[in-house]
Each structure stands twice: as C-alpha cells, then as structure tokens.
Amino acid sequence: MICQAHSLDSILAEYLQERFWLSSGYATNLGLAVRQFTQYAGTPIYLSDLTETLLGAFLRDFARNHDPQGVNDRRRCLLTLWHYAASRDLIPEPRPIPIMPQSHGIPTAWTIEECRRIVAACPTPWWTSFILTIYYTGQRLRAMLAVRTQDYS
C-alpha cells in the first residue's frame, strides 16, 4: 500500500523527530539529500512518486558532478528514509540499489632500499623486528601499535 499524503519532506521530519539523538551533521545530510532529490525531480516528491527508477536517475545525474562518496552518501540517506517509510507500511521496500564503486587509492609502500635504510637506522633489535614485521606482513602501523604482549602465547 502506498500512502499518497506523505511527502519525502514529511517523512524526513517524522524520522528526525523520532530519532532525536541523531547528530546534527547526519540530520543536515539527510535534509540536503532530500532537497537535492526534490530539486532534481522539479516538484515535491511524494511516496507515491518514489521509485527505484527515479532514485537511480537522480544518482546517475548527481554522479556527473560529484565523487562516488558523495553519490553513495545521497543514496544512503534517501534509502534510509525509504526504509523508514516502508517500516511504517507507507510504501513497499525498495529493490536493491547498487553502491557506486569507490577508489580507495593505492597505499604508499616502502621500497626495498627504503626499508634497508630504515632498518639500518633502528636503535634497538626491537625496532628492527617491528619495522621488518610491518614490511613483510603489510600490516598497518596503527594495527601493529595496537598489538599487546597478551595477544601472543
């Protein structure tokens, strides 16, 4: 059953009122997503208008001028409101809408020569072991620093 009387703006207002604990930043992102989606449609969006086709067209258009993270943020915000409306039996659940692939960049790694120079500058055997463990395992520095002696038997 699709409720004709609810706009996406009214669903946003209800969602934010019920979830008063949400951060102001997240609430702002939800509002921004609704405003941009409404501007794209050129008219207020009612639940009866909300389709996967319309949302997909908006996301494709949005992707022309925004990075994948921004597109995925809008997708997440709008689907959050869609799922909320569906949980209230105002509209059916949406079919899956794929996430836009995001590039996470290529990590910077030490060359063999850089590793040799770092190891040569190590003041103690502990530091030599630490650096070589990071180099040979590919472990992130933060993960290595979180390791405790109790983690090993």
Side-chain angles (χ1 to χ4, degrees), residues 102-109 140:
Q102 289 181 233
S103 170
H104 297 289
I106 299 172
T108 304
R140 292 188 173 109

Side-chain angles (χ1 to χ4, degrees), residues 36-56:
Q36 290 170 328
F37 190 30
T38 301
Q39 285 174 346
Y40 170 78
T43 183
I45 298 173
Y46 289 88
L47 295 183
S48 57
D49 304 324
L50 192 56
T51 64
E52 291 91 351
T53 304
L54 179 61
L55 180 54

Side-chain angles (χ1 to χ4, degrees), residues 25-147:
Y26 185 59
T28 299
N29 283 343
L30 286 167
L32 181 61
V34 170
R35 266 194 320 280
Q36 290 170 328
F37 190 30
T38 301
Q39 285 174 346
Y40 170 78
T43 183
I45 298 173
Y46 289 88
L47 295 183
S48 57
D49 304 324
L50 192 56
T51 64
E52 291 91 351
T53 304
L54 179 61
L55 180 54
F58 164 69
L59 294 173
R60 276 189 300 283
D61 185 69
F62 192 77
R64 291 186 313 154
N65 299 311
H66 297 84
D67 66 352
Q69 182 177 348
V71 175
N72 290 333
D73 287 346
R74 296 307 176 275
R75 174 192 166 278
R76 179 181 35 82
C77 287
L78 294 169
L79 285 177
T80 294
L81 296 174
W82 192 331
H83 289 299
Y84 172 73
S87 74
R88 297 187 55 225
D89 293 325
L90 299 174
I91 190 171
E93 285 284 346
R95 292 187 312 260
I97 296 176
I99 294 172
M100 186 175 189
Q102 289 181 233
S103 170
H104 297 289
I106 299 172
T108 304
W110 296 328
T111 65
I112 293 173
E113 184 53 39
E114 287 171 325
C115 188
R116 283 187 185 127
R117 288 193 310 242
I118 292 169
V119 167
C122 288
T124 66
W126 184 92
W127 279 106
T128 302
S129 299
F130 183 75
I131 296 299
L132 290 175
T133 301
I134 290 172
Y135 184 77
Y136 286 115
T137 64
Q139 194 62 265
R140 292 188 173 109
L141 182 58
R142 181 168 285 188
M144 285 298 297
L145 292 172
V147 174

